[in-house]
Amino acid sequence: LATDKGISILQIPFANNPTDAESIYISPNPFIFPDDDFVTIGRVPAGSIIKIMTISGKVVKTIKLDINKLYFKWDGTNDQGEPVGTAVYIVSANHSSEQNKISKIAVIRK
């Protein structure tokens, strides 16, 4: 939206869920800590459960999106609030009535 006070972005979470062809949005990727404060994970159906897992399948972070949220800002910590290590992680998004999605993210700790 453009006004005389500048440009604003309006995100309406009640729009259609992403199509099956759209992959999970992850930015920045790689997530470099401490240069980046957080990574945005999105383009998943509202109300999804997002899991961040090691390559071996161990779940390090579980995020339950609200029904009015399409994006989540992850700070690179696990479920106990501790920073995760340098690695490639699998990101999965599961929803009860939509198609599941999967992607990956690289985390680099300096």
Side-chain angles (χ1 to χ4, degrees):
L1 302 172
T3 66
D4 58 346
K5 302 215 185 271
I7 297 175
S8 297
I9 296 174
L10 173 65
Q11 178 183 356
I12 302 173
F14 304 105
N16 292 336
N17 281 323
T19 65
D20 294 342
E22 292 178 308
S23 61
I24 296 175
Y25 172 84
I26 299 176
S27 181
N29 194 3
F31 173 44
I32 302 172
F33 186 83
D35 296 349
D36 302 317
D37 294 328
F38 57 85
V39 61
T40 302
I41 301 170
R43 205 180 297 143
V44 297
S48 292
I49 295 175
I50 298 171
K51 292 184 181 181
I52 301 171
M53 301 172 277
T54 63
I55 294 298
S56 62
K58 179 183 177 199
V59 176
V60 295
K61 183 76 169 184
T62 302
I63 302 133
K64 171 75 169 106
L65 285 181
D66 291 334
I67 59 170
N68 62 346
K69 300 278 184 174
L70 298 173
Y71 291 89
F72 179 79
K73 292 184 179 183
W74 180 47
D75 60 2
T77 59
N78 62 18
D79 283 331
Q80 289 75 40
E82 302 162 340
V84 299
T86 296
V88 174
Y89 294 89
I90 296 174
V91 180
S92 72
N94 302 304
H95 193 276
S96 59
S97 63
E98 300 287 336
Q99 182 176 6
N100 297 334
K101 296 184 175 210
I102 191 164
S103 190
K104 60 186 177 279
I105 182 172
V107 176
I108 300 171
R109 296 248 171 228
K110 288 186 174 182

